[in-house]
Amino acid sequence: MRVFLTGGAGYIGSACAEYLLDRGYEVTVFDDLITGHIEAVDPRAKFIKANLSDRENLIKVVKEGKYDAVMHFAAFSLVGESMKNPSKYFNNNLANAINLADAAVAGEVKTFVFSSTAATFGEPKEVPIKEDAPQHPINPYGESKLCFEKVLNWYSRIYGLKYAALRYFNAAGATGKYGEDHNPETHLIPILLQVAQGKREKALLFGDDYDTPDGTCIRDYIHILDLAQAHEKALFAPKSGHYNLGTGSGLSVKQILDTARKVTGHPIPAEVVPRRPGDPPRLIACSDRARQELGWEPKFEDAGAIIESVWKWLETHPNGYSK
Ligand code: UFG
């Protein structure tokens, strides 16, 4: 099976490309390397360095490749940045994604797997969050992803393009080869481990006055290999669908900090500072649909194993991908 995978030099895309290549898929990675790393492109994949905004080129390469599936990871994903520069998010995450959907239709691709996000739900009224919960994003990042879910829905109805919108909760962890290397880094787990590595003096905990048992925000951390598994399963779904992907259990910022301390054996000093704007108190997935309809079975159910995988990756990549 031939897969056209955008964003394969990025964090989740690189892990998914590796997962598919390990299982015998032919993978073409399409990435402009603006935020991705060439070192994260699996050498077994064919690599095309190009931008999704070059519509004619995109349609040409997708048609020529005779792909069975498109997996679309390439996107900007910083919530805070999206509040300052919405145009950047709507242009890349929506307009460029439409180019890709058009290319998929022109190339008669059967299945489109889209990296969506829990951010499409905004501040949920109920947790765990089911797929049909109201979607009211509270930032342009979430809105851009929700808009493209809707585009896919219409393309499915009009052109018969089968799609899966996979809404990741908090993607975390590393594979043996590939891990998280963002610049700037804003995510909790890599920041805690940078403190343990001695690269930062202390971690900042954004608010301990939320309405949660220990006052810090609760998230559902899901390993990137489990996300990769869902992508493979989505190829065989009989029909289009939306799926929330998380373990179904939530951990607070303080619980993650304690786990990181245990895994690393480092005291990881931390200071509570005011809330970060736009953080919902609780985001937990109900992933029953993915388990039932796709046969998805996440393997990393505990945060210790997830954090250990990152800590191990940092042994071989202490500075991420930079030399
Ligand atoms: N946090 C800290 N200190 C830090 C970094 C994060 O306390 O230095 C807290 C945040 O306030 C939040 C939790 O740790 O409560 C997790 O924060 P992350 O930045 O790791 O992840 P988010 O939950 O903010 O974001 C993730 C994805 C987004 C997606 C969002 C869904 O990275 O792409 O979930 O709301 F939009």
Side-chain angles (χ1 to χ4, degrees):
M1 210 183 238
R2 296 162 71 86
V3 179
F4 185 77
L5 192 152
T6 73
Y11 172 42
I12 308 169
S14 60
C16 191
E18 179 192 19
Y19 185 93
L20 295 173
L21 287 158
D22 284 349
R23 285 159 183 76
Y25 291 81
E26 277 180 56
V27 176
T28 298
V29 165
F30 183 99
D31 198 300
D32 57 13
L33 299 180
I34 288 179
T35 53
H37 307 271
I38 187 66
E39 299 87 347
V41 178
D42 195 302
R44 295 168 294 175
K46 182 179 166 200
F47 177 53
I48 300 174
K49 182 175 180 295
N51 191 281
L52 293 164
S53 62
D54 186 347
R55 181 180 165 86
E56 298 316 313
N57 177 56
L58 183 60
I59 292 175
K60 181 170 153 281
V61 296
V62 172
K63 271 172 126 176
E64 279 173 3
K66 300 197 183 333
Y67 296 102
D68 300 289
V70 163
M71 292 189 181
H72 181 38
F73 295 89
F76 294 131
S77 62
L78 297 177
V79 169
E81 183 186 56
S82 81
M83 293 293 283
K84 296 197 184 97
N85 191 355
S87 165
K88 180 172 173 180
Y89 280 72
F90 288 112
N91 272 300
N92 193 32
N93 296 3
L94 181 58
N96 288 348
I98 293 172
N99 288 341
L100 183 61
D102 288 341
V105 171
E108 295 175 25
V109 171
K110 286 182 224 56
T111 308
F112 195 114
V113 187
F114 171 51
S115 303
S116 190
T117 169
T120 58
F121 291 106
E123 293 194 13
K125 291 224 162 44
E126 280 177 26
V127 291
I129 306 172
K130 293 194 176 145
E131 281 78 2
D132 51 8
Q135 286 176 292
H136 300 297
I138 53 170
N139 49 64
Y141 166 64
E143 189 75 69
S144 67
K145 292 279 183 172
L146 178 58
C147 288
F148 191 62
E149 284 194 1
K150 292 182 180 177
V151 170
L152 285 175
N153 187 261
W154 285 108
Y155 276 43
S156 151
R157 287 156 74 170
I158 294 167
Y159 299 121
L161 176 66
K162 189 191 79 175
Y163 75 95
L166 304 182
R167 299 170 184 147
Y168 311 158
F169 279 61
N170 283 61
T175 79
K177 292 183 200 158
Y178 305 117
E180 188 164 13
D181 181 358
H182 294 124
N183 188 14
E185 188 52 77
T186 60
H187 292 112
L188 179 63
I189 292 174
I191 284 179
L192 295 177
L193 297 190
Q194 284 178 359
V195 180
Q197 282 182 301
K199 290 190 174 164
R200 289 178 192 245
E201 200 188 315
K202 61 183 175 193
L204 303 178
L205 310 187
F206 299 139
D208 66 352
D209 55 353
Y210 286 93
D211 182 18
T212 58
D214 67 19
T216 63
C217 288
I218 291 176
R219 294 288 180 273
D220 185 340
Y221 295 86
I222 179 80
H223 198 285
I224 51 173
L225 280 172
D226 286 331
L227 295 178
Q229 185 206 127
H231 282 75
E232 189 199 13
K233 301 269 189 206
L235 296 175
F236 303 100
K239 58 181 176 60
S240 294
H242 305 107
Y243 300 95
N244 293 353
L245 299 180
T247 59
S249 54
L251 288 170
S252 72
V253 171
K254 282 188 181 162
Q255 285 173 311
I256 291 289
L257 172 63
D258 285 344
T259 310
R261 285 174 172 156
K262 280 192 195 108
V263 168
T264 60
H266 189 283
I268 313 185
E271 181 191 339
V272 177
V273 295
R275 293 180 178 197
R276 184 172 71 176
D279 277 337
R282 267 193 187 81
L283 289 173
I284 303 171
C286 169
S287 297
D288 293 353
R289 186 187 285 178
R291 289 170 196 261
Q292 282 154 17
E293 288 186 14
L294 302 179
W296 181 59
E297 288 174 40
K299 304 262 186 296
F300 291 82
E301 303 271 6
D302 95 280
I306 294 179
I307 295 174
E308 254 167 45
S309 72
V310 185
W311 193 230
K312 194 147 193 279
W313 186 73
L314 290 172
E315 279 174 20
T316 50
H317 300 79
N319 299 311
Y321 292 109
S322 56
K323 301 262 158 22

